[in-house]
Amino acid sequence: MSIQPLYDNVLVQRAEPEEKTKGGLYLPSAAQEKQVYGHVKAVGPGKILKDGALRAPQVKVGDKVLLAKWGGNEITYGGEDFLILKESELLAVLGE
């Protein structure tokens, strides 16, 4: 990945939307909702605190994270869509 977030920013790729309902019906792309989880692709070095210390990020590349539905800045890079957001905008790390 050649995008390197700065400070406490995190690069996340949102999971693909569900194309089929639990009942087996296929959804048109206009009816598909944005997923509220994604995978961390890159992480900045951390947050600089008031005393000048660097607080390391709590997420790492590969983590599956829970996102706010409408947070972050959407970008397209290399034909793929990503979100860049502050680490504090992430809601949770999802376990396996």
Side-chain angles (χ1 to χ4, degrees):
M1 175 67 44
S2 60
I3 299 175
Q4 179 57 50
L6 301 174
Y7 307 110
D8 61 334
N9 291 310
V10 179
L11 182 73
V12 175
Q13 188 167 32
R14 197 182 289 270
E16 292 295 319
E18 297 293 327
E19 295 179 356
K20 195 164 78 167
T21 66
K22 290 180 183 177
L25 299 174
Y26 285 93
L27 297 170
S29 59
Q32 295 172 4
E33 290 191 27
K34 289 183 178 183
Q35 291 296 320
V36 293
Y37 67 93
H39 299 282
V40 175
K41 297 296 182 180
V43 180
K47 182 174 183 165
I48 298 175
L49 303 175
K50 290 181 182 182
D51 65 0
L54 182 69
R55 188 194 77 202
Q58 294 185 4
V59 295
K60 62 186 179 310
V61 174
D63 281 349
K64 186 175 179 181
V65 292
L66 186 62
L67 309 165
K69 200 166 198 169
W70 300 106
N73 293 303
E74 295 181 358
I75 64 165
T76 300
Y77 182 80
E80 295 184 284
D81 296 326
F82 298 95
L83 290 172
I84 295 180
L85 49 142
K86 295 280 187 197
E87 183 184 28
S88 61
E89 292 180 74
L90 297 175
L91 304 176
V93 175
L94 302 172
E96 296 299 320

